[in-house]
Amino acid sequence: MTDMRRTLLWVVFTMSLVLLWDAWNKHTGQPSMFAPAPRPVAAASAPGVTPPASSVLPSATAVAPAAGGGAPPALVAPPATAPTVTVSTDVLKLTLDARGGDVVHAELLTQVDQNDRTRNVVLFDRSKERVYLAQTGLVGAPDLPNHLTAYTLVPGETSLAAGKDALEVVFESPEQGGVKLRKTLTLQRGNYAVQVRHDVVNTGTAALSPQLYVQLVRDGNAPPGESSFYSTFTGPVVYTDASKFHKVDFKSIEKGNTEHDKTADNGWVAMVQHYFFSAWLHNDKAPREFYTRKIDVNLYAVGQLFPLGELAPGASKQFDSVLFVGPQEEKKLETLAPGLELVKDYGWFTIIAKPLFWLLDQLHKLIGNWGWAIVALVVLLKAAFYWLNAKAYASMAKMKAINPKIMEMRERLKDKPQQMQQEMMRIYKEEKVNPLGGCLPILVQMPVFIALYWVLLSSVEMRNAPWLGWITDLSVRDPLFILPIVMTGTTLLQTWLNPTPPDPMQAKMMWIMPLVFSVMFFFFPAGLVLYWITNNLLSIAQQWVINRRLGVN
C-alpha cells in the first residue's frame, strides 16, 4: 500500500512538472506539447476574396420550406473590393461592409486591450490573422439578396451626435430574384445591443416565401492573449427554452456530430469567449431553425433561419432582431433575453456561482472596490463555515499531537507492515482520532470555493478594476509578483501547521506540491490570487488558534 501511494505521488508530481513546463512554453509563444499551433484562417475568407455560395449560406430547409426549396444556387461574385463605412457611438465603433451590409469589425470603446493598452478590445474582425463576422441575408429562391450581395449605403450620419440617443445606418439591396432587402441598423447611446430591422419587399409578379438567416462566422483559434495557465470556453452557443444553454465546440462541428436543438419557436445563438461575446436575439415567438456548420478550413458558423411566410407581389415584411456585441455584464444581460446571462459561463457550479456573484456585487456597491469586495466575500464565507472548519482543524491538531507516537511506532515495526497497520489503527482508536476528520469538512466546502474561483475568473467587472497601489487590474497577473510570493508563503505556513504524514515520501511531497502549484499562480489574475491569499490567511489564523487551544506546537 505504501509503495502504491509513493508511486501515485510521483506520478502526480511528474505530471504537474510536465504541465507547468507546457504552460510556460505556451506563455512564451512556444508550441504546446499536447495541442497543435493555431490554424491559419481560411483563405476564402480573406478580404477581397469571395467563398463559394454553397459553403457560406445556410441550406433552405427551415421549419417551413421556401418556394423553390433546396440549397441556394451559385452566386455571381461581387466586386473584389466593396466600400465600407465606420459608424460609432460612445461604446461601439463598427465597420460595415457594403457587400452584404455585414458587420466586419467591432471595437469596444470602453474596454482596453490588456495586451496592448493603447488599443481597445476588438471582437468582430476581418484580417489575415482573424475572421469574426456578423451576417444576414435571404434564402428560399434563386438569387435572393444575401451577405454576398452588393448593397447601397443610404447617405446619413455615421457617428452619434451630441444630444442624440440613437444613430441609424441603412443599406439597400438591388432588386434580386424579385426581392429588395433593406437593412436598418440602429445604435443607441451606452448600449452594446444593435437593433437590426430587415424590410423585405416582393417586387416581382409571383408570390414568394423567403427565409431570413442571421449568423455569426468565426475562425476556431483562441482569442489573442488567451492565458496558457487556465482555460475558458471559446465557441458557439445555442439556447432554447427546452434545452437551455448548450455549448458547441469547434471540434464537434468539424466532425459533424453536434448536439443541439434544431428547431424551436424561441431561443438565440451566440459566439462566446472569455469576458466577451456576440449574439443574435429575436425574443418574439416565431418558428426558427438553428444550425452550426463548417464553412471552410478553420471557419465555422452558428445561426438561425426564420421563415417569413408568403409574400404576394408588391407585399412587404418587416423582421426585427438584435445583434449584441460586447462584454458579459451579467446583470444587464438578464434584461435582454431569457438565459442570456448564461454566456458568463460558470460551468457545473452555476447554481452556486450565481448567488456568490450577487453577494460579491452587493459588497462592491457597499465598498466601492472590487478587490476589497473579494476580501470581504471570503471573510463572510469563512465565517459561514467557521464551525465546520473548526472541527477539521481540531482533528488535524490531534493528528499532529500523536504524530511522534506514530513515527516511533513506524520505525519500530518497519519490517512488519501488517502489524504496523494494526498498531496504527489501535492508536487512532485510543486517542479518538479520525484520520479523515480533517478532510471531510474541507471537502464539503470545496464546491463553494471552486464556484467562487469561477466567479472571479469569469467576471468582466474585474477587467481594469484596481485594488490598491501596484494592482491596477484585478484580471491580469500581478506585475511585480508580490501577491503570488505572499500566497506561496501562506501556503507553506499552512502546510507547516498541518500534521506531517507518517510516510517520509508523503511528507516530502506535502512540501513540494504546494511549491509546484504556487508557480502557476504567478501567472493567474491578481483577483484570483488575492482570493487565495485571503482564504489562506483566515485558515492559518483559525488553525493556529485551535492548535494553541489544544496545546499543539
Side-chain angles (χ1 to χ4, degrees):
M1 184 58 119
T2 300
D3 290 341
M4 177 64 72
R5 283 199 297 265
R6 288 179 177 176
T7 301
L8 288 174
L9 284 170
W10 274 114
V11 168
V12 171
F13 178 63
T14 304
M15 285 302 299
S16 299
L17 291 179
V18 171
L19 291 173
L20 282 171
W21 176 252
D22 182 63
W24 175 255
N25 281 340
K26 290 190 287 184
H27 181 73
T28 55
Q30 303 300 314
S32 169
M33 294 183 289
F34 305 107
R39 292 174 292 171
V41 177
S45 301
V49 181
T50 303
S54 60
S55 71
V56 295
L57 295 176
S59 60
T61 56
V63 183
L75 300 176
V76 177
T81 57
T84 61
V85 58
T86 298
V87 298
S88 60
T89 67
D90 55 330
V91 296
L92 279 177
K93 184 178 181 181
L94 304 181
T95 299
L96 310 174
D97 194 339
R99 184 181 67 180
D102 300 327
V103 185
V104 297
H105 191 87
E107 183 179 339
L108 311 185
L109 300 180
T110 61
Q111 299 289 331
V112 177
D113 189 313
Q114 293 174 319
N115 300 303
D116 181 358
R117 293 190 172 273
T118 63
R119 302 172 61 244
N120 295 318
V121 169
V122 171
L123 274 192
F124 293 141
D125 195 16
R126 186 179 62 183
S127 63
K128 293 180 180 179
E129 294 77 25
R130 178 156 303 280
V131 171
Y132 188 181
L133 315 168
Q135 301 174 330
T136 69
L138 297 175
V139 293
D143 300 327
L144 294 186
N146 53 55
H147 67 268
L148 298 180
T149 301
Y151 284 68
T152 300
L153 174 66
V154 177
E157 297 292 330
T158 58
S159 62
L160 187 61
K164 291 190 175 181
D165 292 326
L167 169 68
E168 277 195 357
V169 182
V170 181
F171 287 94
E172 290 183 344
S173 78
E175 181 179 337
Q176 191 169 310
V179 169
K180 288 192 70 173
L181 179 60
R182 180 184 176 97
K183 294 185 183 182
T184 304
L185 288 80
T186 304
L187 293 80
Q188 298 174 325
R189 184 176 299 279
N191 202 334
Y192 294 102
V194 180
Q195 309 294 321
V196 182
R197 187 177 78 241
H198 292 83
D199 292 294
V200 184
V201 181
N202 183 352
T203 58
T205 58
L208 296 172
S209 296
Q211 298 177 86
L212 175 76
Y213 64 88
V214 294
Q215 67 179 13
L216 300 164
V217 176
R218 191 190 191 285
D219 62 71
N221 295 335
E226 189 82 344
S227 174
S228 303
F229 289 88
Y230 52 84
S231 177
T232 56
F233 177 75
T234 297
V237 165
V238 174
Y239 179 93
T240 63
D241 289 345
S243 298
K244 304 304 180 184
F245 185 78
H246 193 96
K247 293 184 287 189
V248 184
D249 59 72
F250 294 123
K251 290 182 180 178
S252 297
I253 299 176
E254 189 80 31
K255 296 176 182 177
N257 60 357
T258 56
E259 295 181 3
H260 58 77
D261 284 351
K262 300 301 189 293
T263 60
D265 65 356
N266 61 82
W268 44 265
V269 295
M271 281 281 187
V272 303
Q273 64 187 62
H274 195 199
Y275 294 136
F276 305 101
F277 79 108
S278 61
W280 279 110
L281 313 174
H282 183 77
N283 290 336
D284 294 341
K285 292 284 186 180
R288 67 199 70 184
E289 176 185 329
F290 298 90
Y291 62 90
T292 53
R293 61 186 304 182
K294 178 181 178 181
I295 292 178
D296 210 323
V297 178
N298 193 31
L299 198 62
Y300 310 92
V302 59
Q304 292 175 290
L305 194 60
F306 296 89
L308 299 180
E310 185 174 272
L311 282 181
S316 63
K317 176 78 173 183
Q318 178 180 314
F319 187 89
D320 296 306
S321 54
V322 173
L323 172 64
F324 184 93
V325 49
Q328 298 169 1
E329 297 174 326
E330 185 173 336
K331 295 302 179 183
K332 295 180 181 180
L333 299 183
E334 290 174 347
T335 64
L336 287 177
L340 190 61
E341 75 279 2
L342 296 176
V343 296
K344 184 180 177 183
D345 187 18
Y346 298 130
W348 292 99
F349 298 95
T350 298
I351 193 171
I352 304 174
K354 286 180 71 66
L356 286 178
F357 177 77
W358 177 87
L359 182 54
L360 179 65
D361 186 50
Q362 298 306 308
L363 290 170
H364 174 256
K365 290 177 182 178
L366 181 65
I367 299 172
N369 181 286
W370 284 106
W372 290 118
I374 292 170
V375 172
L377 179 58
V378 178
V379 170
L380 290 178
L381 289 175
K382 296 299 283 188
F385 289 115
Y386 178 83
W387 294 111
L388 199 58
N389 283 324
K391 290 183 178 180
Y393 296 144
S395 179
M396 290 181 185
K398 291 178 181 178
M399 285 288 294
K400 191 169 185 178
I402 67 170
N403 202 49
K405 186 184 293 187
I406 296 291
M407 298 296 290
E408 183 277 328
M409 181 273 297
R410 287 180 61 87
E411 181 63 26
R412 177 165 44 86
L413 300 176
K414 60 183 177 181
D415 296 326
K416 301 176 181 179
Q418 187 173 355
Q419 187 178 347
M420 181 194 300
Q421 291 294 327
Q422 293 173 349
E423 184 68 11
M424 188 178 298
M425 295 307 297
R426 182 189 66 78
I427 295 174
Y428 287 153
K429 187 175 182 180
E430 286 181 354
E431 300 290 341
K432 297 181 180 180
V433 172
N434 182 359
L436 298 178
C439 300
L440 293 178
I442 294 175
L443 288 176
V444 171
Q445 303 172 57
M446 284 304 292
V448 174
F449 283 93
I450 293 174
L452 180 54
Y453 166 90
W454 282 106
V455 166
L456 299 179
L457 183 63
S458 305
S459 296
V460 70
E461 290 81 1
M462 301 298 137
R463 293 187 85 254
N464 303 308
W467 176 42
L468 56 80
W470 75 105
I471 301 297
T472 58
D473 188 342
L474 288 167
S475 68
V476 298
R477 65 173 176 82
D478 180 344
L480 303 180
F481 299 108
I482 294 174
L483 289 181
I485 292 172
V486 173
M487 198 213 74
T488 302
T490 58
T491 302
L492 292 175
L493 179 56
Q494 196 171 13
T495 301
W496 176 76
L497 289 171
N498 291 336
T500 303
D503 187 290
M505 178 58 67
Q506 293 182 40
K508 291 179 182 178
M509 295 300 293
M510 191 178 75
W511 286 96
I512 294 174
M513 291 301 291
L515 289 173
V516 171
F517 287 111
S518 291
V519 172
M520 298 178 65
F521 280 83
F522 277 70
F523 302 94
F524 269 48
L528 282 173
V529 184
L530 177 61
Y531 146 57
W532 281 111
I533 290 175
T534 307
N535 183 64
N536 283 354
L537 288 173
L538 293 173
S539 298
I540 288 169
Q542 188 177 6
Q543 193 169 357
W544 184 85
V545 169
I546 290 174
N547 283 1
R548 298 287 77 77
R549 185 186 303 162
L550 297 176
V552 178
N553 296 320

